[in-house]
Amino acid sequence: AQRVTQPEKLLSVFKGAPVELKCNYSYSGSPELFWYVQYSRQRLQLLLRHISRESIKGFTADLNKGETSFHLKKPFAQEEDSAMYYCALNSGSARQLTFGSGTQLTVLP
Amino acid sequence: DAGVTQSPTHLIKTRGQQVTLRCSPKSGHDTVSWYQQALGQGPQFIFQYYEEEERQRGNFPDRFSGHQFPNYSSELNVNALLLGDSALYLCASSFAGSKNIQYFGAGTRLSVL
């Protein structure tokens, strides 16, 4: 069975500091990983996916199959990055997303 | 494009009742997935509909059922409501050829008393 673990429920950093949100997964096959973000009073929206290898709003995430991790990183956090972040896994043909429990990021001024 | 729309936004029911939640997918999308999000948890997959059929189902009892209409909109039905069914119910739509990029609605908040 697939599982996604986000060990930090809450994370606070100061503006301009680096931030890393941790995500570990458990899946025997070839996973497809996503990061979703939910800003205050807004709906859940896709931030980035590992297949694209893109940087969105300064965030990047690298899939590490050896460590089964997909940590989200940003070198200089901004106050507008404060939000709930969810890591999610799509197990190939299953077409269903398995979400972690989320990390609430607060960027302090 | 209004994106994914869900109705109603809030709902209060009592134990044992039945409820129907509705979802209209984003324009051009043909696949609808439903998720349950309990307080403090991530969304949990209930099931997915494509071509008016349930294509995938998560670990939810048969009390949870759904339907997809020819216009791709969808309903989620929950029978014999339990207190534990209180949650935010999210609908997500996608296009079958889009490599599972799902777009989420704002959700329906269900409270079971």
Side-chain angles (χ1 to χ4, degrees), chain A residues 63-82:
Chain A
L63 178 61
N64 186 323
K65 291 186 177 181
E67 296 183 358
T68 60
S69 68
F70 188 56
H71 303 328
L72 184 67
K73 301 177 184 179
K74 185 170 183 177
F76 307 104
Q78 303 299 315
E79 290 181 67
E80 55 265 30
D81 296 329
S82 296

Side-chain angles (χ1 to χ4, degrees), chain A residues 71-103:
Chain A
H71 303 328
L72 184 67
K73 301 177 184 179
K74 185 170 183 177
F76 307 104
Q78 303 299 315
E79 290 181 67
E80 55 265 30
D81 296 329
S82 296
M84 178 68 86
Y85 291 81
Y86 293 97
C87 182
L89 178 154
N90 172 40
S91 52
S93 62
R95 301 178 187 273
Q96 67 181 71
L97 291 174
T98 299
F99 284 85
S101 56
T103 297

